[in-house]
Amino acid sequence: MSNPGFKRRSVLGGLSAAALLSGTALRGARRAAPAGPPNIVFIMADDLGYADLSCTGSHHIKTPAIDSIGLGGVQLRQGYSSAPICSPTRTALLTGCYQQRFAIGLEEPLGPAAPRGIGLPAGTPTLASVLKAQGYRTKLIGKWHLGDPPEHGPLQHGYDEFLGIVEGAADYHRHHMVMGGKDVGIGLARGDQPVSIEGYLTDVLGDESVRTIENAGDQPFLISLHFNAPHWPWEGREDAEMAKAIGSSFHYEGGSLAKYREMVEAMDQNVAKVLAALDRTGKSANTIVIFTSDNGGERFSETWPFTGVKGELLEGGIRVPLLAKWPGRIPAGSKSEQVMASMDFLPTLLTMAGGDPAAAGKFDGVDLSAQLTGKAAVLPRALYWREKANDQAALRDGDWKYLKLGGKEHLFNLAEDERERADKAPVDPDRLRAMRLKWDAWNATVLPYPLGSYSEDVRDHYPDRY
């Protein structure tokens, strides 16, 4: 059945605009940068693997609009998610801190077995709240997955507006999780209230973003566009009847490479519409656009040249695409080997907006605005990860990575072996021990896992995770 909310002309128009964007961005990079705070459009995919874009090496998916962000700005090859799964990464992104500093960040992922009323503590500085204090209008469009409104929705944590799904996933046509043929949870909401909107969810989110840009006026804005694509259930625009017949969002027997490609390319078409709206309204010249993913890819993804998938601390589970453009400020067509993680976006974007991260709060993330704009050399980083499933731990320190997986310890030099196959642990035990101790010291500064976490009922709800 054709989706009544899908307008072929608008998508093709967006694609045409995206095809021209690289030239527009190159011309814009030569112009004087506009005065005033930049608008920010932060686009995050859900479960997109590192090599699922044309520009990062996909063998079969075409993403001209997303690619154009890197062509018009910078592409980082060493972008990381702060966790290998969704809601902990979103905690880190929102707070600019390691997610393990908050009880909600220990939910891997946030699900039905989580304590009732869980969410960030009131008053916690967030990406939205610190930009709001800078005079920005803030809006989340897409997936939240960090607590239920009205206690812990987006409006309670810095966003002025919200249209999106509250839970961690949703049927793309019914906009709810579906179990036993019935809608469950809050599903699609506007503000703190459930809402019904017809259409394929990826298109609904793209259309809302376009309207928001067109109606923005002169006040600087933050649009957090958090697509749920290409997260399961694997459904395209024409699959409404199929999804209804199956009656469950958890149909793990579904999906295919072709369907996955369809979902990613639908997201790319909506990114094209957003970029075209920025161009059409004259806002693109002073808008920062970021594209990334919340974690590594799942079963239909490509993560080459990395091993590992969503849920694992191997590079394929945490290395994600990262593209950024800001005409006149970020040199067009540039590449960077800067290591950057989800929690770095808060201090980085706040600085780009004219704010002072040190005055806004205490963050684990680092301001990398000078690195993104090419004004400073690559900054060496030490990044830490922890994941309860399979007893996982990781530390990336410079080129070296300590990895604990399934009770076994490994040591890799990522500059020489980014596929994590040449284990140096047997030949460099002193380095292994030093990195383990460094990880232990970090781990002592964050919250421990609660007793009884990851019980069998969690495993029942998330069979793909274990």
Side-chain angles (χ1 to χ4, degrees), residues 69-126:
I69 298 170
L71 287 173
V74 62
Q75 180 174 336
L76 277 71
R77 196 173 184 279
Q78 303 200 66
Y80 284 94
S81 59
S82 289
I85 50 175
C86 45
S87 54
T89 290
R90 291 163 198 274
T91 301
L93 170 67
L94 193 65
T95 63
C97 298
Y98 283 108
Q99 64 272 15
Q100 294 91 352
R101 300 202 184 281
F102 307 95
I104 191 171
L106 304 182
E107 300 297 323
E108 299 174 347
L110 181 65
R116 289 183 178 274
I118 193 167
L120 287 174
T124 301
T126 67

Side-chain angles (χ1 to χ4, degrees), residues 151-179:
E151 294 81 16
H152 286 295
L155 303 190
Q156 288 75 50
H157 294 289
Y159 285 102
D160 294 307
E161 299 177 72
F162 169 55
L163 175 74
I165 57 170
V166 173
E167 291 86 13
D171 180 273
Y172 284 78
H173 299 276
R174 296 171 66 158
H175 308 163
H176 278 82
M177 291 289 288
V178 181
M179 299 181 69

Side-chain angles (χ1 to χ4, degrees), residues 21-34 72 285 326-330 332:
L21 187 64
S22 58
T24 302
L26 289 169
R27 291 192 299 273
R30 291 191 289 266
R31 294 195 298 264
W326 186 12
R329 302 295 183 91
I330 297 177

Side-chain angles (χ1 to χ4, degrees), residues 284-302:
S284 60
N286 195 30
T287 297
I288 299 167
V289 181
I290 307 285
F291 181 89
T292 191
S293 179
D294 65 344
N295 47 250
E298 211 189 344
R299 63 201 73 186
F300 297 115
S301 291
E302 288 190 87

Side-chain angles (χ1 to χ4, degrees), residues 85-255:
I85 50 175
C86 45
S87 54
T89 290
R90 291 163 198 274
T91 301
L93 170 67
L94 193 65
T95 63
C97 298
Y98 283 108
Q99 64 272 15
Q100 294 91 352
R101 300 202 184 281
F102 307 95
I104 191 171
L106 304 182
E107 300 297 323
E108 299 174 347
L110 181 65
R116 289 183 178 274
I118 193 167
L120 287 174
T124 301
T126 67
L127 175 62
S129 71
V130 299
L131 287 171
K132 187 174 180 176
Q134 286 292 115
Y136 278 68
R137 186 74 181 172
T138 60
K139 184 169 184 176
L140 172 62
I141 301 170
K143 178 173 167 177
W144 172 238
H145 202 194
L146 288 176
D148 291 340
E151 294 81 16
H152 286 295
L155 303 190
Q156 288 75 50
H157 294 289
Y159 285 102
D160 294 307
E161 299 177 72
F162 169 55
L163 175 74
I165 57 170
V166 173
E167 291 86 13
D171 180 273
Y172 284 78
H173 299 276
R174 296 171 66 158
H175 308 163
H176 278 82
M177 291 289 288
V178 181
M179 299 181 69
K182 296 181 179 180
D183 295 342
V184 296
I186 296 170
L188 188 66
R190 187 179 291 278
D192 286 340
Q193 299 300 318
V195 66
S196 178
I197 300 174
E198 293 294 321
Y200 184 64
L201 188 51
T202 304
D203 295 330
V204 170
L205 302 179
D207 291 342
E208 181 76 8
S209 301
V210 169
R211 284 190 293 269
T212 302
I213 292 167
E214 291 176 338
N215 297 323
D218 295 329
Q219 184 179 6
F221 58 77
L222 164 69
I223 295 176
S224 296
L225 173 52
H226 295 182
F227 287 107
N228 62 313
H231 193 290
W232 54 261
W234 295 282
E235 298 168 358
R237 291 186 174 109
E238 309 302 322
D239 293 334
E241 291 302 319
M242 178 274 291
K244 183 177 180 180
I246 292 174
S248 172
S249 296
F250 297 92
H251 52 97
Y252 295 111
E253 76 286 355

Side-chain angles (χ1 to χ4, degrees), residues 234-397:
W234 295 282
E235 298 168 358
R237 291 186 174 109
E238 309 302 322
D239 293 334
E241 291 302 319
M242 178 274 291
K244 183 177 180 180
I246 292 174
S248 172
S249 296
F250 297 92
H251 52 97
Y252 295 111
E253 76 286 355
S256 65
L257 288 175
K259 186 58 60 179
Y260 186 79
R261 177 177 66 244
E262 181 182 341
M263 295 172 71
V264 175
E265 291 184 352
M267 177 173 63
D268 186 74
Q269 291 159 11
N270 279 279
V271 171
K273 287 160 39 177
V274 170
L275 297 176
L278 291 171
D279 230 13
R280 187 169 59 250
T281 57
K283 296 184 181 299
S284 60
N286 195 30
T287 297
I288 299 167
V289 181
I290 307 285
F291 181 89
T292 191
S293 179
D294 65 344
N295 47 250
E298 211 189 344
R299 63 201 73 186
F300 297 115
S301 291
E302 288 190 87
T303 61
W304 180 265
F306 312 115
T307 55
V309 293
K310 174 184 178 180
E312 297 176 333
L313 293 181
L314 289 158
E315 292 290 286
I318 52 178
R319 189 83 72 101
V320 293
L322 205 170
L323 314 172
K325 79 178 187 79
W326 186 12
R329 302 295 183 91
I330 297 177
S334 54
K335 306 280 187 180
S336 175
E337 291 298 322
Q338 178 62 55
V339 172
M340 186 173 190
S342 311
M343 64 184 179
D344 297 326
F345 285 111
L346 188 157
T348 299
L349 291 174
L350 180 57
T351 298
M352 289 174 157
D356 178 7
K362 185 177 181 180
F363 308 109
D364 296 309
V366 173
D367 169 20
L368 296 173
S369 57
Q371 283 71 29
L372 291 184
T373 55
K375 295 180 179 178
V378 168
L379 181 69
R381 302 295 307 284
L383 292 175
Y384 301 84
W385 290 267
R386 187 183 73 183
E387 180 75 5
K388 181 75 168 180
N390 295 318
D391 188 23
Q392 296 181 76
L395 161 61
R396 171 152 187 183
D397 194 357

